[in-house]
Amino acid sequence: MLHLPRVSVILGLAIAAGCAGVSPRPEAATAATLPQVELSAAQSKRLSELVDTCVQTVVMRRYDEAERAAHSAIAIEPRCARARAVLGMVMLQRARLQDPADLMLANGGEAETRLAEQLAPEDPFVGWMRAVFLAESGHISAAAAAADEALARTTKATPE
């Protein structure tokens, strides 16, 4: 028969293992907390290259490359909306590799897409990534609404 202290230790360890961390709340993501940096010409050029890589690789579903480029871009410019949108999509794909999906990763990914949308609401790629993220998360009606909203916002944007 187990003694009460031993049972409580085992129970405590089991609970701690199940609660390794608190999942982020995507709706609480705010771009206002991200630092603003001034980039040199060389940093701007490198950032542009990395963002191009992010976009190309995520579209081709080469998530490892997309993730590396997104992290590198965010290290240069924490407010890089396209890199954050790509990182969000990568995090969702990583979350879906597990069954059930890793809620912490999925919520982190959604937070990234929300940040991206706050940072660049008129960017068509960011709006598209947000809608695709929601669709691949199984939120079809939310994806349709996000796509409609993004389309309405991006009609005012200048072409890039």
Side-chain angles (χ1 to χ4, degrees):
M1 181 153 113
L2 291 173
H3 297 318
L4 188 56
R6 187 179 298 170
V7 170
S8 61
V9 168
I10 292 170
L11 183 60
L13 289 173
I15 290 171
C19 300
V22 176
S23 181
R25 292 182 41 226
E27 66 277 2
T30 176
T33 61
L34 299 174
Q36 294 190 6
V37 297
E38 204 165 313
L39 303 179
S40 68
Q43 288 174 315
S44 292
K45 183 178 187 283
R46 180 67 180 138
L47 179 63
S48 179
E49 293 166 354
L50 288 166
V51 170
D52 286 346
T53 300
C54 283
V55 170
Q56 291 170 14
T57 55
V58 80
V59 167
M60 292 185 286
R61 296 185 176 269
R62 294 187 347 223
Y63 297 115
D64 291 337
E65 290 174 67
E67 182 176 29
R68 282 191 300 275
H71 280 298
S72 294
I74 292 168
I76 294 170
E77 170 54 283
R79 302 176 70 83
C80 182
R82 287 187 175 194
R84 289 201 174 272
V86 167
L87 184 58
M89 184 58 83
V90 168
M91 292 172 77
L92 175 64
Q93 301 312 316
R94 299 271 183 259
R96 293 172 61 192
L97 291 175
Q98 300 176 29
D99 189 26
D102 183 324
L103 186 60
M104 184 175 253
L105 263 177
N107 283 348
E110 184 173 357
E112 290 295 339
T113 63
R114 284 178 182 253
L115 288 172
E117 211 170 35
Q118 291 171 29
L119 291 165
E122 294 181 354
D123 185 316
F125 177 79
V126 168
W128 178 61
M129 278 285 96
R130 175 80 177 136
V132 171
F133 179 96
L134 290 167
E136 291 196 10
S137 297
H139 303 290
I140 304 304
S141 58
D148 285 342
E149 291 167 12
L151 193 57
R153 286 191 309 267
T154 60
T155 57
K156 302 173 205 151
T158 57
E160 285 189 70

